[in-house]
Amino acid sequence: MENNHIEKLFEHDARDRKEEGKLFKNDKEGFQKEKAPISVDSTNSWKVLLVDDEEDIHSVTRMALKGFAYQGKEIQFLHAYSGDEAKQLLPKHKDIALIFLDVVMETNHAGLDLVKHIRDVMKNHFTQIVLRTGYPGVAPEREVIAAYEINDYKTKTELTTFKLFTVTLASLRSYDSIMRLENLRHNLETIVKERTSELELKNVKIMEMDQMKTRFFSNVSHEFRTPLTLIIGPLEDLLVDKELTSNKKDTLEIMHRNALRILGLVNQLLDLAKIDAGSMKLSIIYNDLNKVLRLISGSFISMAERKKIKYTVDIPEEVMNCFFDRDKVEKILVNLLSNAFKFTPEHGEITCSVTSENRSNIDNQYIDLVVQDSGPGIPAEQLEKIFDRFYQVEDGWKKGTSGTGIGLSLTKELTVLMHGEIRVESNPEKGSRFILRLPVGKDHLKSKEYIIVEDEEIEGQSLYIKCNISENSQKIRDDTYETSYNNDRPIVLIVDDNQDIRHHIRESLVKDFTIKEAVNGKEGLEMAIDIVPDLLITDLMMPEMDGLELCRKLKTDERISHVPVVMLTAKAEAENKIEGLETGADDYITKPFNSKELIIRSKNLIEQRKKLKEKYNHQISLEVDESEIKSVDEKFLERARKIIEKNISDCSFDVNSFYPEMGMSRMQLFRKLKALVNQTPGELIRNLRLQRAAHLIKRNYGNVSEVTYEVGFNNLSYFAKCFKEKYGLLPSEYQKQTKM
Ligand code: ADP
């Protein structure tokens, strides 16, 4: 009776669990596809191990649990009659769900020994354990029950049929839940392992690619050096030729300077590659560090003079003989000073100071090096990033600089290599301050970190200095160059901050044009307004005002809006920046450009303007449909026409009263009208007067002398002469003809 009742209870329970099981299975489907879990469902029965030295207990237990089923699975009994027998059985049956274990068998604690073996040695924490004993006095301590995850403890007499059912049911439920969780954990672990190994594989591939890139990079850079050396060497030979004309010498110097510049950049790239490959060591010499520092900082004096910068060098006079890597110290200081000079505007201040801790042991010493400038500073949020490779402060180029973003990262990496520290303080109003602490000597270095090299002669400039500041050591020349003013030739205004580029363009165009030069957009705009050129060639990236802004301002300024603009761009800028930008430029030329192409394009633009002149010349008449006036130039012509018209009967109205009314200088008005309609202001006034005269004659305004005065002529015969020139007839003849 009791059994039936319980079995029903079990059946019901089993149904519920089956449903749960299904749900659970569905949830896991995703995992199962990837890896079949070790599932408790894979066996058709629950393995229950009975460990007892009394055969009776075995048979009673079997009998009591006869017909037991949980989740549709029955019990499969395993039997052991001693602890040792059980120990041998256990490894063969890893999926035992429950053990009924007699505490007292061959020894008093044989049962507990087995428990310890299962939990501690076999590390099995899944199998459920129910202890039984015929001697109530030998019950294990509570702590032991808790520590060894023992499910229940019963005296054998307590284990009635009913109690056996409940304890078995509860234990199998726990085992089932634990195994499900275990399966889940196992599946998740498998997935994590798989993903981790996938990632590791990817990582290895990325590293391999990275190494390949570095190798390629390094090989290519290296390959650049030979041809560059073969350019620089012969150029240096050519440059010593005393017979060279100054123009040729200038050109060769540009080539030399710029080849050195490329060499400098290539060497920087090679340094980065070496650092990446971990193959850069310190090459230390024993020499006077202060002298080397003075030599390096001294290389910037001529640049300071040229840029009108107050440059203070504060390096102790005393000799500081020690071990140091000259080459790296030089690279660091040259980079910091080059940046300071690059970013500090004219009349700014730069200080380079060195202090050293005066300790008795020179080998255990460091120097503090500070390079401070009064430049634009670095925004606080970007301070951290400026030492990152290829990082450039946003819009940095607008402030008037170009660069690669390599300098500071190289500086930092070299400093670290020397076990030094570098930091920067910057205040956008006051400028930047780079603070460097460099240990000197070799005591702080491990033997594999350095090699001692021959002490070289330290007089004179190293190749690194030549390559990196050669741009600045160029001869001080008249910054802006003007060819003699020749009225017949079109004026071309070149706006570029790079003196070499200006020189190159000037050399290309000087035969056909009168050349003017400006060093940035701001100066370019002022000069354009002043001289009203026939063509303006401008670089895109420039300090103070870039090419885009210059172009926009020019195109909206009535005085110079007609001037065609050629924008010079680097290829990458052309693709990235110009695309989609309405710059208003009339033509683009990408660098490097060919001189012939520049000449042809310049001539074409000037030629096109001539055609426009004819169009406007034709258009400028007294009958204008105002609704059609649109462009700045058309509006300008309309304003000029109205001013003349307003004063048309005033015979004293002439060029001298015309240009102030237009708000322009005499020269601006002259050049603008010449450029737009190919007429001088005087010619325009006379032409409009004559047009009005013809108009009045046609309308029978009065006799010729009345018309003459009405249109502001005060000399009848001069009027008649001019009229005939324009219309081919004398005014009286014209009058007769229109009457007919
Ligand atoms: P590059 O000068 O070739 O752009 P660097 O690595 O030398 O690259 O410098 C990174 C950036 O840090 C520069 O683009 C510039 O914006 C900023 N920077 C460096 N030195 C200074 C300085 N003295 N004053 C202002 N900004 C600076």
Side-chain angles (χ1 to χ4, degrees):
M1 223 12 235
E2 197 189 60
N3 266 1
N4 274 349
H5 174 74
I6 292 166
E7 270 184 72
K8 265 185 201 153
L9 189 80
F10 286 167
E11 272 171 23
H12 176 73
D13 181 71
R15 248 195 336 269
D16 280 0
R17 295 298 287 148
K18 260 188 191 161
E19 288 308 311
E20 273 176 35
K22 265 191 203 158
L23 267 176
F24 199 50
K25 262 193 197 163
N26 285 345
D27 284 350
K28 292 192 300 184
E29 238 162 47
F31 302 139
Q32 283 173 335
K33 264 182 216 156
E34 294 194 34
K35 191 110 186 175
I38 334 157
S39 168
V40 283
D41 295 330
S42 61
T43 53
N44 299 321
S45 53
W46 304 106
K47 283 187 187 166
V48 174
L49 171 64
L50 302 177
V51 190
D52 207 308
D53 51 356
E54 288 179 52
E55 172 56 37
D56 285 357
I57 299 293
H58 284 260
S59 48
V60 167
T61 310
R62 262 201 324 268
M63 289 287 290
L65 292 172
K66 195 170 177 218
F68 177 95
Y70 171 59
Q71 290 204 345
K73 294 199 287 184
E74 292 179 349
I75 291 179
Q76 179 197 345
F77 286 104
L78 302 169
H79 299 277
Y81 295 91
S82 67
D84 285 342
E85 214 177 305
K87 277 185 193 168
Q88 285 169 12
L89 251 173
L90 280 165
K92 294 180 202 147
H93 300 274
K94 291 213 170 98
D95 51 348
I96 291 173
L98 170 61
I99 303 176
F100 282 109
L101 175 61
D102 187 12
V103 178
V104 184
M105 286 178 286
E106 57 270 44
T107 67
N108 267 359
H109 289 290
L112 277 184
D113 284 346
L114 185 64
V115 173
K116 283 182 192 165
H117 177 78
I118 294 169
R119 299 300 192 223
D120 289 347
V121 181
M122 296 180 71
K123 307 275 180 223
N124 174 345
H125 297 277
F126 311 128
T127 302
Q128 307 295 296
I129 300 174
V130 174
L131 291 185
R132 297 195 290 188
T133 178
Y135 310 88
V138 286
E141 316 248 324
R142 285 171 191 216
E143 289 76 20
V144 176
I145 293 188
Y148 290 98
E149 300 150 88
I150 292 166
N151 285 48
D152 211 342
Y153 174 77
K154 294 275 190 294
T155 59
K156 287 182 188 172
T157 48
E158 271 182 296
L159 286 178
T160 60
T161 308
F162 181 72
K163 279 190 182 149
L164 262 176
F165 268 113
T166 50
V167 79
T168 307
L169 177 67
S171 303
L172 291 184
R173 250 190 196 155
S174 303
Y175 177 75
D176 188 41
S177 310
I178 292 173
M179 288 316 285
R180 283 175 198 280
L181 284 175
E182 180 54 19
N183 279 344
L184 196 64
R185 191 188 62 79
H186 176 82
N187 287 338
L188 286 175
E189 231 169 42
T190 313
I191 292 170
V192 170
K193 264 190 204 146
E194 279 173 5
R195 300 265 153 96
T196 312
S197 70
E198 270 171 33
L199 281 179
E200 276 169 1
L201 211 74
K202 276 188 188 152
N203 228 355
V204 169
K205 281 212 172 112
I206 290 174
M207 268 163 60
E208 274 172 10
M209 271 181 45
D210 225 47
Q211 278 171 358
M212 226 166 71
K213 270 196 265 177
T214 309
R215 245 193 334 270
F216 171 75
F217 202 47
S218 150
N219 287 347
V220 168
S221 310
H222 216 271
E223 284 307 304
F224 277 130
R225 292 219 285 201
T226 317
L228 274 172
T229 316
L230 290 174
I231 294 173
I232 293 166
L235 272 175
E236 283 174 354
D237 293 344
L238 285 177
L239 271 166
V240 290
D241 182 354
K242 294 210 171 67
E243 313 251 294
L244 274 181
T245 63
S246 79
N247 249 357
K248 284 225 169 85
K249 193 161 188 217
D250 279 356
T251 307
L252 289 178
E253 271 175 354
I254 288 178
M255 291 164 74
H256 183 239
R257 226 173 6 246
N258 287 284
L260 278 174
R261 175 100 188 103
I262 301 178
L263 186 61
L265 287 172
V266 165
N267 283 340
Q268 280 198 337
L269 290 175
L270 267 173
D271 279 348
L272 285 184
K274 261 196 208 159
I275 289 175
D276 284 351
S279 60
M280 188 176 275
K281 277 191 176 188
L282 299 181
S283 305
I284 56 176
I285 55 163
Y286 188 77
N287 214 317
D288 179 1
L289 176 58
N290 282 344
K291 185 174 174 188
V292 169
L293 292 171
R294 272 196 303 276
L295 210 85
I296 302 167
S297 47
S299 313
F300 286 82
I301 292 173
S302 64
M303 192 189 325
E305 281 166 4
R306 199 167 56 84
K307 280 194 82 176
K308 302 183 186 75
I309 281 174
K310 184 169 173 244
Y311 179 42
T312 316
V313 176
D314 183 10
I315 296 172
E317 283 297 324
E318 71 213 40
V319 173
M320 186 180 179
N321 277 330
C322 58
F323 279 106
F324 63 97
D325 186 325
R326 174 186 171 157
D327 178 61
K328 296 186 181 50
V329 166
E330 188 174 278
K331 283 174 179 165
I332 291 171
L333 186 53
V334 167
N335 269 320
L336 293 180
L337 283 171
S338 296
N339 275 347
F341 277 94
K342 185 157 81 174
F343 292 100
T344 306
E346 274 193 4
H347 305 293
E349 276 184 45
I350 293 173
T351 318
C352 168
S353 60
V354 173
T355 45
S356 49
E357 181 88 332
N358 206 2
R359 291 208 205 146
S360 52
N361 179 3
I362 196 100
D363 239 7
N364 192 15
Q365 206 166 309
Y366 55 80
I367 55 159
D368 285 319
L369 202 154
V370 178
V371 174
Q372 181 161 6
D373 66 58
S374 65
I378 302 156
E381 68 280 4
Q382 314 219 20
L383 273 182
E384 292 228 327
K385 301 185 200 147
I386 57 163
F387 293 107
D388 292 351
R389 199 171 292 181
F390 310 131
Y391 185 81
Q392 293 185 286
V393 173
E394 268 165 42
D395 286 349
W397 60 270
K398 276 197 181 159
K399 284 189 218 151
T401 55
S402 55
T404 53
I406 292 178
L408 282 183
S409 81
L410 189 62
T411 302
K412 167 110 189 211
E413 305 209 31
L414 292 176
T415 308
V416 171
L417 209 70
M418 298 171 77
H419 296 261
E421 291 161 30
I422 184 166
R423 64 194 168 88
V424 56
E425 292 169 0
S426 185
N427 179 338
E429 300 307 314
K430 287 195 179 148
S432 313
R433 190 176 149 87
F434 286 85
I435 304 146
L436 193 84
R437 173 162 286 192
L438 282 183
V440 296
K442 58 181 173 52
D443 282 3
H444 62 288
L445 301 171
K446 295 192 191 92
S447 58
K448 63 173 191 293
E449 287 179 323
Y450 68 91
I451 44 167
I452 299 178
V453 291
E454 273 292 290
D455 187 3
E456 287 170 30
E457 186 49 59
I458 62 171
E459 302 294 335
Q461 284 190 344
S462 71
L463 182 66
Y464 190 79
I465 296 187
K466 270 202 222 162
C467 290
N468 286 280
I469 55 174
S470 59
E471 210 175 335
N472 315 300
S473 56
Q474 52 192 286
K475 249 188 320 184
I476 302 167
R477 294 192 277 223
D478 243 353
D479 228 345
T480 50
Y481 178 100
E482 289 186 18
T483 48
S484 60
Y485 195 77
N486 182 337
N487 251 339
D488 300 339
R489 296 203 295 185
I491 303 173
V492 175
L493 174 60
I494 305 167
V495 190
D496 200 308
D497 54 327
N498 184 310
Q499 188 176 332
D500 291 346
I501 296 269
R502 289 200 307 272
H503 176 93
H504 177 51
I505 301 177
R506 181 205 316 137
E507 289 304 299
S508 313
L509 300 179
V510 77
K511 282 201 198 83
D512 303 285
F513 304 95
T514 297
I515 306 292
K516 303 264 178 179
E517 290 175 36
V519 297
N520 61 47
K522 193 162 164 262
E523 196 183 298
L525 183 68
E526 280 161 15
M527 273 180 87
I529 292 170
D530 194 34
I531 60 178
V532 193
D534 294 283
L535 177 70
L536 185 139
I537 299 175
T538 177
D539 191 16
L540 176 66
M541 289 199 192
M542 279 180 302
E544 302 275 346
M545 186 192 287
D546 62 51
L548 295 179
E549 198 177 339
L550 166 63
C551 195
R552 208 182 52 243
K553 292 217 154 108
L554 180 136
K555 292 292 176 188
T556 47
D557 188 313
E558 199 187 61
R559 292 165 291 185
I560 44 176
S561 52
H562 65 285
V563 178
V565 176
V566 175
M567 186 88 75
L568 295 176
T569 62
K571 198 161 188 306
E573 294 158 17
E575 279 159 9
N576 303 335
K577 301 229 162 68
I578 308 282
E579 217 170 296
L581 262 184
E582 194 40 72
T583 61
D586 299 81
D587 204 351
Y588 298 99
I589 294 184
T590 50
K591 291 189 254 184
F593 52 85
N594 169 294
S595 313
K596 275 196 190 126
E597 188 188 348
L598 182 67
I599 298 171
I600 291 171
R601 294 229 204 159
S602 302
K603 283 187 174 166
N604 274 351
L605 273 174
I606 292 173
E607 198 51 39
Q608 272 173 23
R609 290 292 134 159
K610 269 195 194 145
K611 290 193 183 123
L612 260 187
K613 267 185 214 177
E614 280 153 25
K615 178 184 151 205
Y616 281 129
N617 198 3
H618 188 67
Q619 265 180 9
I620 184 148
S621 73
L622 295 171
E623 296 109 34
V624 179
D625 179 356
E626 288 194 26
S627 64
E628 278 182 14
I629 296 170
K630 281 190 192 83
S631 74
V632 180
D633 288 344
E634 283 168 328
K635 279 187 193 148
F636 162 83
L637 284 180
E638 177 56 13
R639 206 158 62 81
R641 186 184 63 79
K642 279 190 172 157
I643 288 171
I644 297 174
E645 214 175 316
K646 189 179 78 192
N647 297 295
I648 209 154
S649 6
D650 178 1
C651 63
S652 68
F653 180 77
D654 63 3
V655 183
N656 292 331
S657 22
F658 187 23
Y659 70 80
E661 276 215 47
M662 286 299 287
M664 290 171 141
S665 75
R666 189 188 184 101
M667 213 271 278
Q668 281 167 341
L669 184 63
F670 176 87
R671 290 196 51 83
K672 173 99 194 177
L673 282 174
K674 261 312 244 189
L676 269 187
V677 291
N678 201 21
Q679 293 180 35
T680 64
E683 282 166 352
L684 183 68
I685 297 173
R686 196 169 62 233
N687 272 328
L688 287 185
R689 284 191 156 131
L690 292 171
Q691 265 186 37
R692 166 58 61 92
H695 182 76
L696 291 177
I697 292 171
K698 264 194 205 154
R699 301 224 163 160
N700 285 326
Y701 175 83
N703 62 29
V704 173
S705 63
E706 277 165 335
V707 170
T708 306
Y709 296 116
E710 178 54 28
V711 298
F713 278 85
N714 53 9
N715 181 326
L716 264 174
S717 61
Y718 179 63
F719 170 67
K721 176 174 165 278
C722 295
F723 196 92
K724 182 151 189 201
E725 261 170 31
K726 186 167 168 70
Y727 294 104
L729 296 169
L730 287 167
S732 50
E733 292 164 351
Y734 190 81
Q735 198 169 29
K736 269 186 212 143
Q737 205 180 54
T738 51
K739 272 186 185 158
M740 283 188 341

